[in-house]
Amino acid sequence: MSEIVRMEHYSFTYAGQQSPAIRNVCLSVRQGDFILLTGKSGSGKSTLLRQMKRELVPAGEISGEIRINGKDLSEISQRESAVTVGYLGQNIEQQIVAEKVWQELVFGLENLGWNQDRMEKKIRQMARLFSLEEWMEKNMSQLSGGQKQRVLLASILAMEPNVLLLDEPTAQLDDAMAKEFLREVARGNRECRTAVLLAEHRIRYALPYSSRSCRMENGRLLETTGKKADFFPLVRRGERKNTQRDDMGVVLRDVTFFYEKGKGVLNRLSLRVPRGTFLQIVGPNGCGKTTLLQLICGIRKPCAGTVECYGKAAMVPQNPKALFSELTAGEELLSESLFDELGLGGLEQAHPYDLSGGQQQRLAIGKVLETKPDILLLDEPTRGLDNDCKTMLGVLLERLAEKGMTVLCVTHDGEFSEQYGTIYHLPI
């Protein structure tokens, strides 16, 4: 099988930093490979993937070489990069370029100069493969995070890349959709011989499809056996505590909300959340979980019914970068105790955009906690976190609830919701 990607003694150091984020990495990716890339938050997984897509290589110092289809990365044109290397990053909002779903699917093909008949045939194929037929005329803004991810994956695979780079693709998907997503990726890997390099924390779903696995540790790439013994489950620390109070934190009465008339996202939802509750809101993609948080914090207004918040509400969105406005992480989060409590010590001088997805997530949570909200709303807070960080976050959120804060967390992370807080299944 032909070699698509080759990294030889490759190292990368972010601008303004002393320690390399990637250290002396040697890697070969061949046609048909399905490589599972694991490691703790901040170990270098996302940085490694971005090195293979020339448009996404951040500013910094590079040594060693990367070759794509035998050609040095610096010699590859933008068109060659688009055709050869597909990339789906953690921040899906930054990758959306069109208003409608069908426009998103066709955008890349138009820019590659495909003729009309070939484009139409490919779009029909992708729509069937990913069950997008009913969404084609929808606005991308109407879709949930998981639905947007499916559309973006289809738009990338439509261009028939040689290698597909996936950075935490299941983080915003419910369990059923995560399994289906990875099945479709595996089908493309098997039938089209598209090589796949997948950075993932939800290892149990991806492991059966991988041909080999590697682990990042402090910027170094280590081969693993690929057996379950190489990976560790999320383990709860301490006993659950009932932190609910008699007074209310949030009350919803007969709340209805819809984006399109006749197509309700939430239908006459009533919910009473006592102060001091840590509530884990779960449900399939598109059932209205993010919309519910937006209604509670006032970003959206209900079409009918009432939302009552007893105290100040603050929200950590799915995209943590939306909260960043400073040049260093230390300027974003001024509380040294929170900085250390969230495991961000030593990163004070790093630019927030140079942090890993998990580190950005923790920085955003800390920044919102500095505002001292009475009601804390979190949308997929474990995205990009390894199990140690999830445990740290779960313990922190339970302690905040114990002190009287009302915590509402939207999540698709079944392990996290089972270990911490109280589960609430949002009605479909």
Side-chain angles (χ1 to χ4, degrees), residues 49-82:
L49 293 185
R50 292 174 67 187
Q51 303 303 308
M52 303 176 206
K53 187 76 171 169
R54 60 166 296 185
E55 301 89 338
L56 301 178
V57 178
E61 183 180 337
I62 293 171
S63 64
E65 67 173 9
I66 299 180
R67 304 188 76 83
I68 306 293
N69 287 334
K71 202 172 183 179
D72 191 272
L73 186 67
S74 62
E75 299 173 359
I76 291 177
S77 67
Q78 288 189 343
R79 180 185 177 85
E80 286 178 296
S81 178

PDB file of all heavy atoms in Angstrom, residues 49-82:
ATOM      1  N   LEU A  49      -2.115  16.823  14.430  1.00  0.00           N
ATOM      2  CA  LEU A  49      -2.997  16.745  13.262  1.00  0.00           C
ATOM      3  C   LEU A  49      -2.874  17.998  12.398  1.00  0.00           C
ATOM      4  O   LEU A  49      -2.841  17.919  11.163  1.00  0.00           O
ATOM      5  CB  LEU A  49      -4.450  16.553  13.701  1.00  0.00           C
ATOM      6  CG  LEU A  49      -4.810  15.226  14.379  1.00  0.00           C
ATOM      7  CD1 LEU A  49      -6.308  15.167  14.634  1.00  0.00           C
ATOM      8  CD2 LEU A  49      -4.376  14.034  13.543  1.00  0.00           C
ATOM      9  N   ARG A  50      -2.793  19.152  13.030  1.00  0.00           N
ATOM     10  CA  ARG A  50      -2.743  20.405  12.276  1.00  0.00           C
ATOM     11  C   ARG A  50      -1.462  20.546  11.470  1.00  0.00           C
ATOM     12  O   ARG A  50      -1.433  21.265  10.464  1.00  0.00           O
ATOM     13  CB  ARG A  50      -2.901  21.589  13.233  1.00  0.00           C
ATOM     14  CG  ARG A  50      -4.293  21.689  13.854  1.00  0.00           C
ATOM     15  CD  ARG A  50      -4.367  22.779  14.895  1.00  0.00           C
ATOM     16  NE  ARG A  50      -4.211  24.106  14.318  1.00  0.00           N
ATOM     17  CZ  ARG A  50      -4.103  25.214  15.044  1.00  0.00           C
ATOM     18  NH1 ARG A  50      -4.106  25.139  16.366  1.00  0.00           N
ATOM     19  NH2 ARG A  50      -3.978  26.384  14.454  1.00  0.00           N
ATOM     20  N   GLN A  51      -0.412  19.861  11.871  1.00  0.00           N
ATOM     21  CA  GLN A  51       0.844  19.949  11.126  1.00  0.00           C
ATOM     22  C   GLN A  51       0.710  19.353   9.722  1.00  0.00           C
ATOM     23  O   GLN A  51       1.482  19.695   8.824  1.00  0.00           O
ATOM     24  CB  GLN A  51       1.965  19.208  11.869  1.00  0.00           C
ATOM     25  CG  GLN A  51       2.220  19.676  13.284  1.00  0.00           C
ATOM     26  CD  GLN A  51       2.544  21.144  13.395  1.00  0.00           C
ATOM     27  OE1 GLN A  51       3.429  21.648  12.699  1.00  0.00           O
ATOM     28  NE2 GLN A  51       1.822  21.848  14.257  1.00  0.00           N
ATOM     29  N   MET A  52      -0.242  18.454   9.523  1.00  0.00           N
ATOM     30  CA  MET A  52      -0.385  17.757   8.245  1.00  0.00           C
ATOM     31  C   MET A  52      -1.265  18.514   7.250  1.00  0.00           C
ATOM     32  O   MET A  52      -1.417  18.104   6.106  1.00  0.00           O
ATOM     33  CB  MET A  52      -0.958  16.356   8.475  1.00  0.00           C
ATOM     34  CG  MET A  52      -0.136  15.518   9.426  1.00  0.00           C
ATOM     35  SD  MET A  52      -0.885  13.921   9.765  1.00  0.00           S
ATOM     36  CE  MET A  52      -0.198  13.576  11.384  1.00  0.00           C
ATOM     37  N   LYS A  53      -1.867  19.608   7.705  1.00  0.00           N
ATOM     38  CA  LYS A  53      -2.720  20.440   6.847  1.00  0.00           C
ATOM     39  C   LYS A  53      -2.060  21.804   6.766  1.00  0.00           C
ATOM     40  O   LYS A  53      -2.148  22.604   7.706  1.00  0.00           O
ATOM     41  CB  LYS A  53      -4.122  20.525   7.457  1.00  0.00           C
ATOM     42  CG  LYS A  53      -5.150  21.206   6.598  1.00  0.00           C
ATOM     43  CD  LYS A  53      -5.622  20.316   5.465  1.00  0.00           C
ATOM     44  CE  LYS A  53      -6.822  20.955   4.763  1.00  0.00           C
ATOM     45  NZ  LYS A  53      -7.146  20.262   3.511  1.00  0.00           N
ATOM     46  N   ARG A  54      -1.392  22.100   5.665  1.00  0.00           N
ATOM     47  CA  ARG A  54      -0.500  23.264   5.614  1.00  0.00           C
ATOM     48  C   ARG A  54      -1.198  24.573   5.957  1.00  0.00           C
ATOM     49  O   ARG A  54      -0.595  25.475   6.540  1.00  0.00           O
ATOM     50  CB  ARG A  54       0.169  23.379   4.246  1.00  0.00           C
ATOM     51  CG  ARG A  54      -0.762  23.536   3.063  1.00  0.00           C
ATOM     52  CD  ARG A  54      -0.003  23.986   1.824  1.00  0.00           C
ATOM     53  NE  ARG A  54       0.583  25.306   2.024  1.00  0.00           N
ATOM     54  CZ  ARG A  54       1.215  25.981   1.072  1.00  0.00           C
ATOM     55  NH1 ARG A  54       1.351  25.453  -0.128  1.00  0.00           N
ATOM     56  NH2 ARG A  54       1.707  27.174   1.304  1.00  0.00           N
ATOM     57  N   GLU A  55      -2.487  24.703   5.626  1.00  0.00           N
ATOM     58  CA  GLU A  55      -3.205  25.941   5.919  1.00  0.00           C
ATOM     59  C   GLU A  55      -3.425  26.138   7.420  1.00  0.00           C
ATOM     60  O   GLU A  55      -3.733  27.243   7.871  1.00  0.00           O
ATOM     61  CB  GLU A  55      -4.569  25.955   5.224  1.00  0.00           C
ATOM     62  CG  GLU A  55      -4.516  25.826   3.711  1.00  0.00           C
ATOM     63  CD  GLU A  55      -4.544  24.387   3.235  1.00  0.00           C
ATOM     64  OE1 GLU A  55      -4.193  23.473   4.018  1.00  0.00           O
ATOM     65  OE2 GLU A  55      -4.916  24.169   2.070  1.00  0.00           O
ATOM     66  N   LEU A  56      -3.298  25.061   8.205  1.00  0.00           N
ATOM     67  CA  LEU A  56      -3.623  25.117   9.628  1.00  0.00           C
ATOM     68  C   LEU A  56      -2.405  25.086  10.531  1.00  0.00           C
ATOM     69  O   LEU A  56      -2.549  25.127  11.749  1.00  0.00           O
ATOM     70  CB  LEU A  56      -4.545  23.941   9.990  1.00  0.00           C
ATOM     71  CG  LEU A  56      -5.872  23.864   9.245  1.00  0.00           C
ATOM     72  CD1 LEU A  56      -6.645  22.636   9.683  1.00  0.00           C
ATOM     73  CD2 LEU A  56      -6.701  25.121   9.471  1.00  0.00           C
ATOM     74  N   VAL A  57      -1.206  24.998   9.951  1.00  0.00           N
ATOM     75  CA  VAL A  57      -0.001  24.954  10.779  1.00  0.00           C
ATOM     76  C   VAL A  57       0.161  26.295  11.500  1.00  0.00           C
ATOM     77  O   VAL A  57       0.254  27.342  10.858  1.00  0.00           O
ATOM     78  CB  VAL A  57       1.254  24.659   9.918  1.00  0.00           C
ATOM     79  CG1 VAL A  57       2.504  24.675  10.790  1.00  0.00           C
ATOM     80  CG2 VAL A  57       1.110  23.310   9.223  1.00  0.00           C
ATOM     81  N   PRO A  58       0.163  26.289  12.844  1.00  0.00           N
ATOM     82  CA  PRO A  58       0.269  27.561  13.564  1.00  0.00           C
ATOM     83  C   PRO A  58       1.675  28.150  13.480  1.00  0.00           C
ATOM     84  O   PRO A  58       2.626  27.484  13.050  1.00  0.00           O
ATOM     85  CB  PRO A  58      -0.081  27.161  15.014  1.00  0.00           C
ATOM     86  CG  PRO A  58       0.130  25.694  15.084  1.00  0.00           C
ATOM     87  CD  PRO A  58       0.039  25.133  13.713  1.00  0.00           C
ATOM     88  N   ALA A  59       1.794  29.397  13.896  1.00  0.00           N
ATOM     89  CA  ALA A  59       3.106  30.060  13.901  1.00  0.00           C
ATOM     90  C   ALA A  59       3.992  29.408  14.946  1.00  0.00           C
ATOM     91  O   ALA A  59       3.561  29.103  16.054  1.00  0.00           O
ATOM     92  CB  ALA A  59       2.932  31.546  14.197  1.00  0.00           C
ATOM     93  N   GLY A  60       5.249  29.182  14.563  1.00  0.00           N
ATOM     94  CA  GLY A  60       6.171  28.562  15.495  1.00  0.00           C
ATOM     95  C   GLY A  60       7.412  28.051  14.793  1.00  0.00           C
ATOM     96  O   GLY A  60       7.603  28.252  13.591  1.00  0.00           O
ATOM     97  N   GLU A  61       8.249  27.369  15.552  1.00  0.00           N
ATOM     98  CA  GLU A  61       9.522  26.853  15.045  1.00  0.00           C
ATOM     99  C   GLU A  61       9.385  25.376  14.702  1.00  0.00           C
ATOM    100  O   GLU A  61       8.879  24.581  15.507  1.00  0.00           O
ATOM    101  CB  GLU A  61      10.610  27.054  16.096  1.00  0.00           C
ATOM    102  CG  GLU A  61      11.991  26.609  15.648  1.00  0.00           C
ATOM    103  CD  GLU A  61      13.038  26.832  16.716  1.00  0.00           C
ATOM    104  OE1 GLU A  61      12.809  27.689  17.593  1.00  0.00           O
ATOM    105  OE2 GLU A  61      14.069  26.145  16.677  1.00  0.00           O
ATOM    106  N   ILE A  62       9.836  24.992  13.506  1.00  0.00           N
ATOM    107  CA  ILE A  62       9.697  23.625  13.002  1.00  0.00           C
ATOM    108  C   ILE A  62      11.074  23.036  12.709  1.00  0.00           C
ATOM    109  O   ILE A  62      11.962  23.717  12.196  1.00  0.00           O
ATOM    110  CB  ILE A  62       8.849  23.607  11.715  1.00  0.00           C
ATOM    111  CG1 ILE A  62       7.403  23.993  12.016  1.00  0.00           C
ATOM    112  CG2 ILE A  62       8.902  22.246  11.029  1.00  0.00           C
ATOM    113  CD1 ILE A  62       6.559  24.207  10.776  1.00  0.00           C
ATOM    114  N   SER A  63      11.232  21.743  13.046  1.00  0.00           N
ATOM    115  CA  SER A  63      12.407  20.992  12.598  1.00  0.00           C
ATOM    116  C   SER A  63      11.930  19.617  12.148  1.00  0.00           C
ATOM    117  O   SER A  63      10.885  19.142  12.576  1.00  0.00           O
ATOM    118  CB  SER A  63      13.448  20.862  13.719  1.00  0.00           C
ATOM    119  OG  SER A  63      12.933  20.113  14.802  1.00  0.00           O
ATOM    120  N   GLY A  64      12.707  18.982  11.272  1.00  0.00           N
ATOM    121  CA  GLY A  64      12.269  17.724  10.686  1.00  0.00           C
ATOM    122  C   GLY A  64      11.452  17.980   9.433  1.00  0.00           C
ATOM    123  O   GLY A  64      11.413  19.101   8.915  1.00  0.00           O
ATOM    124  N   GLU A  65      10.772  16.939   8.931  1.00  0.00           N
ATOM    125  CA  GLU A  65      10.007  17.109   7.694  1.00  0.00           C
ATOM    126  C   GLU A  65       8.713  16.317   7.705  1.00  0.00           C
ATOM    127  O   GLU A  65       8.572  15.314   8.415  1.00  0.00           O
ATOM    128  CB  GLU A  65      10.841  16.705   6.477  1.00  0.00           C
ATOM    129  CG  GLU A  65      11.173  15.225   6.393  1.00  0.00           C
ATOM    130  CD  GLU A  65      11.855  14.862   5.068  1.00  0.00           C
ATOM    131  OE1 GLU A  65      12.217  15.774   4.312  1.00  0.00           O
ATOM    132  OE2 GLU A  65      11.984  13.654   4.811  1.00  0.00           O
ATOM    133  N   ILE A  66       7.755  16.815   6.903  1.00  0.00           N
ATOM    134  CA  ILE A  66       6.510  16.106   6.617  1.00  0.00           C
ATOM    135  C   ILE A  66       6.377  16.007   5.103  1.00  0.00           C
ATOM    136  O   ILE A  66       6.519  17.008   4.390  1.00  0.00           O
ATOM    137  CB  ILE A  66       5.280  16.854   7.184  1.00  0.00           C
ATOM    138  CG1 ILE A  66       5.370  16.988   8.701  1.00  0.00           C
ATOM    139  CG2 ILE A  66       3.994  16.104   6.816  1.00  0.00           C
ATOM    140  CD1 ILE A  66       4.190  17.712   9.307  1.00  0.00           C
ATOM    141  N   ARG A  67       6.085  14.802   4.631  1.00  0.00           N
ATOM    142  CA  ARG A  67       5.872  14.585   3.204  1.00  0.00           C
ATOM    143  C   ARG A  67       4.472  14.021   3.005  1.00  0.00           C
ATOM    144  O   ARG A  67       4.048  13.115   3.727  1.00  0.00           O
ATOM    145  CB  ARG A  67       6.921  13.635   2.629  1.00  0.00           C
ATOM    146  CG  ARG A  67       8.342  14.099   2.870  1.00  0.00           C
ATOM    147  CD  ARG A  67       9.360  13.255   2.137  1.00  0.00           C
ATOM    148  NE  ARG A  67       9.389  13.584   0.713  1.00  0.00           N
ATOM    149  CZ  ARG A  67      10.072  14.607   0.201  1.00  0.00           C
ATOM    150  NH1 ARG A  67      10.772  15.409   0.981  1.00  0.00           N
ATOM    151  NH2 ARG A  67      10.071  14.835  -1.088  1.00  0.00           N
ATOM    152  N   ILE A  68       3.752  14.597   2.024  1.00  0.00           N
ATOM    153  CA  ILE A  68       2.422  14.133   1.659  1.00  0.00           C
ATOM    154  C   ILE A  68       2.495  13.554   0.250  1.00  0.00           C
ATOM    155  O   ILE A  68       2.865  14.276  -0.697  1.00  0.00           O
ATOM    156  CB  ILE A  68       1.382  15.279   1.693  1.00  0.00           C
ATOM    157  CG1 ILE A  68       1.389  15.986   3.054  1.00  0.00           C
ATOM    158  CG2 ILE A  68      -0.006  14.751   1.367  1.00  0.00           C
ATOM    159  CD1 ILE A  68       0.904  15.172   4.219  1.00  0.00           C
ATOM    160  N   ASN A  69       2.185  12.282   0.117  1.00  0.00           N
ATOM    161  CA  ASN A  69       2.325  11.596  -1.175  1.00  0.00           C
ATOM    162  C   ASN A  69       3.720  11.819  -1.776  1.00  0.00           C
ATOM    163  O   ASN A  69       3.878  12.059  -2.976  1.00  0.00           O
ATOM    164  CB  ASN A  69       1.248  12.047  -2.163  1.00  0.00           C
ATOM    165  CG  ASN A  69      -0.121  11.483  -1.820  1.00  0.00           C
ATOM    166  OD1 ASN A  69      -0.214  10.426  -1.189  1.00  0.00           O
ATOM    167  ND2 ASN A  69      -1.169  12.172  -2.222  1.00  0.00           N
ATOM    168  N   GLY A  70       4.741  11.768  -0.900  1.00  0.00           N
ATOM    169  CA  GLY A  70       6.119  11.891  -1.337  1.00  0.00           C
ATOM    170  C   GLY A  70       6.607  13.302  -1.572  1.00  0.00           C
ATOM    171  O   GLY A  70       7.761  13.516  -1.932  1.00  0.00           O
ATOM    172  N   LYS A  71       5.749  14.293  -1.349  1.00  0.00           N
ATOM    173  CA  LYS A  71       6.075  15.692  -1.634  1.00  0.00           C
ATOM    174  C   LYS A  71       6.190  16.467  -0.330  1.00  0.00           C
ATOM    175  O   LYS A  71       5.354  16.317   0.566  1.00  0.00           O
ATOM    176  CB  LYS A  71       4.975  16.282  -2.517  1.00  0.00           C
ATOM    177  CG  LYS A  71       5.361  17.487  -3.330  1.00  0.00           C
ATOM    178  CD  LYS A  71       4.214  17.814  -4.292  1.00  0.00           C
ATOM    179  CE  LYS A  71       4.554  18.963  -5.201  1.00  0.00           C
ATOM    180  NZ  LYS A  71       3.442  19.256  -6.140  1.00  0.00           N
ATOM    181  N   ASP A  72       7.208  17.302  -0.207  1.00  0.00           N
ATOM    182  CA  ASP A  72       7.366  18.101   0.997  1.00  0.00           C
ATOM    183  C   ASP A  72       6.143  18.999   1.199  1.00  0.00           C
ATOM    184  O   ASP A  72       5.613  19.578   0.244  1.00  0.00           O
ATOM    185  CB  ASP A  72       8.629  18.967   0.914  1.00  0.00           C
ATOM    186  CG  ASP A  72       8.951  19.606   2.252  1.00  0.00           C
ATOM    187  OD1 ASP A  72       8.431  20.706   2.530  1.00  0.00           O
ATOM    188  OD2 ASP A  72       9.720  18.998   3.018  1.00  0.00           O
ATOM    189  N   LEU A  73       5.702  19.095   2.460  1.00  0.00           N
ATOM    190  CA  LEU A  73       4.477  19.850   2.763  1.00  0.00           C
ATOM    191  C   LEU A  73       4.539  21.280   2.246  1.00  0.00           C
ATOM    192  O   LEU A  73       3.532  21.827   1.774  1.00  0.00           O
ATOM    193  CB  LEU A  73       4.245  19.853   4.283  1.00  0.00           C
ATOM    194  CG  LEU A  73       2.933  20.467   4.770  1.00  0.00           C
ATOM    195  CD1 LEU A  73       1.744  19.619   4.338  1.00  0.00           C
ATOM    196  CD2 LEU A  73       2.934  20.617   6.282  1.00  0.00           C
ATOM    197  N   SER A  74       5.705  21.906   2.302  1.00  0.00           N
ATOM    198  CA  SER A  74       5.847  23.298   1.862  1.00  0.00           C
ATOM    199  C   SER A  74       5.657  23.452   0.353  1.00  0.00           C
ATOM    200  O   SER A  74       5.399  24.561  -0.125  1.00  0.00           O
ATOM    201  CB  SER A  74       7.226  23.832   2.271  1.00  0.00           C
ATOM    202  OG  SER A  74       8.260  23.086   1.647  1.00  0.00           O
ATOM    203  N   GLU A  75       5.772  22.357  -0.398  1.00  0.00           N
ATOM    204  CA  GLU A  75       5.650  22.420  -1.855  1.00  0.00           C
ATOM    205  C   GLU A  75       4.238  22.100  -2.349  1.00  0.00           C
ATOM    206  O   GLU A  75       3.972  22.194  -3.544  1.00  0.00           O
ATOM    207  CB  GLU A  75       6.635  21.427  -2.490  1.00  0.00           C
ATOM    208  CG  GLU A  75       8.095  21.715  -2.153  1.00  0.00           C
ATOM    209  CD  GLU A  75       9.016  20.623  -2.661  1.00  0.00           C
ATOM    210  OE1 GLU A  75       8.488  19.638  -3.251  1.00  0.00           O
ATOM    211  OE2 GLU A  75      10.242  20.737  -2.484  1.00  0.00           O
ATOM    212  N   ILE A  76       3.356  21.757  -1.435  1.00  0.00           N
ATOM    213  CA  ILE A  76       1.991  21.368  -1.820  1.00  0.00           C
ATOM    214  C   ILE A  76       1.129  22.614  -2.002  1.00  0.00           C
ATOM    215  O   ILE A  76       1.105  23.506  -1.140  1.00  0.00           O
ATOM    216  CB  ILE A  76       1.383  20.437  -0.758  1.00  0.00           C
ATOM    217  CG1 ILE A  76       2.110  19.096  -0.774  1.00  0.00           C
ATOM    218  CG2 ILE A  76      -0.100  20.216  -0.989  1.00  0.00           C
ATOM    219  CD1 ILE A  76       1.632  18.128   0.272  1.00  0.00           C
ATOM    220  N   SER A  77       0.401  22.680  -3.098  1.00  0.00           N
ATOM    221  CA  SER A  77      -0.492  23.820  -3.354  1.00  0.00           C
ATOM    222  C   SER A  77      -1.753  23.684  -2.502  1.00  0.00           C
ATOM    223  O   SER A  77      -2.053  22.622  -1.958  1.00  0.00           O
ATOM    224  CB  SER A  77      -0.876  23.855  -4.830  1.00  0.00           C
ATOM    225  OG  SER A  77      -1.693  22.736  -5.162  1.00  0.00           O
ATOM    226  N   GLN A  78      -2.502  24.787  -2.405  1.00  0.00           N
ATOM    227  CA  GLN A  78      -3.755  24.753  -1.654  1.00  0.00           C
ATOM    228  C   GLN A  78      -4.739  23.765  -2.271  1.00  0.00           C
ATOM    229  O   GLN A  78      -5.477  23.075  -1.556  1.00  0.00           O
ATOM    230  CB  GLN A  78      -4.370  26.153  -1.615  1.00  0.00           C
ATOM    231  CG  GLN A  78      -3.625  27.123  -0.706  1.00  0.00           C
ATOM    232  CD  GLN A  78      -4.371  28.430  -0.526  1.00  0.00           C
ATOM    233  OE1 GLN A  78      -5.276  28.761  -1.285  1.00  0.00           O
ATOM    234  NE2 GLN A  78      -3.993  29.185   0.487  1.00  0.00           N
ATOM    235  N   ARG A  79      -4.774  23.672  -3.580  1.00  0.00           N
ATOM    236  CA  ARG A  79      -5.664  22.733  -4.234  1.00  0.00           C
ATOM    237  C   ARG A  79      -5.269  21.290  -3.900  1.00  0.00           C
ATOM    238  O   ARG A  79      -6.131  20.459  -3.578  1.00  0.00           O
ATOM    239  CB  ARG A  79      -5.643  22.934  -5.750  1.00  0.00           C
ATOM    240  CG  ARG A  79      -6.555  21.966  -6.490  1.00  0.00           C
ATOM    241  CD  ARG A  79      -6.436  22.097  -7.995  1.00  0.00           C
ATOM    242  NE  ARG A  79      -7.268  21.118  -8.669  1.00  0.00           N
ATOM    243  CZ  ARG A  79      -8.555  21.269  -8.934  1.00  0.00           C
ATOM    244  NH1 ARG A  79      -9.153  22.403  -8.596  1.00  0.00           N
ATOM    245  NH2 ARG A  79      -9.251  20.321  -9.520  1.00  0.00           N
ATOM    246  N   GLU A  80      -3.966  20.995  -3.963  1.00  0.00           N
ATOM    247  CA  GLU A  80      -3.507  19.645  -3.618  1.00  0.00           C
ATOM    248  C   GLU A  80      -3.854  19.309  -2.174  1.00  0.00           C
ATOM    249  O   GLU A  80      -4.263  18.184  -1.860  1.00  0.00           O
ATOM    250  CB  GLU A  80      -1.995  19.538  -3.829  1.00  0.00           C
ATOM    251  CG  GLU A  80      -1.551  19.459  -5.268  1.00  0.00           C
ATOM    252  CD  GLU A  80      -0.041  19.414  -5.369  1.00  0.00           C
ATOM    253  OE1 GLU A  80       0.624  20.398  -4.983  1.00  0.00           O
ATOM    254  OE2 GLU A  80       0.483  18.379  -5.845  1.00  0.00           O
ATOM    255  N   SER A  81      -3.687  20.285  -1.292  1.00  0.00           N
ATOM    256  CA  SER A  81      -3.996  20.060   0.123  1.00  0.00           C
ATOM    257  C   SER A  81      -5.476  19.771   0.313  1.00  0.00           C
ATOM    258  O   SER A  81      -5.857  18.875   1.074  1.00  0.00           O
ATOM    259  CB  SER A  81      -3.592  21.287   0.945  1.00  0.00           C
ATOM    260  OG  SER A  81      -3.911  21.112   2.302  1.00  0.00           O
ATOM    261  N   ALA A  82      -6.338  20.522  -0.385  1.00  0.00           N
ATOM    262  CA  ALA A  82      -7.777  20.329  -0.267  1.00  0.00           C
ATOM    263  C   ALA A  82      -8.199  18.946  -0.756  1.00  0.00           C
ATOM    264  O   ALA A  82      -9.068  18.294  -0.161  1.00  0.00           O
ATOM    265  CB  ALA A  82      -8.518  21.411  -1.050  1.00  0.00           C
TER     266      ALA A  82
END
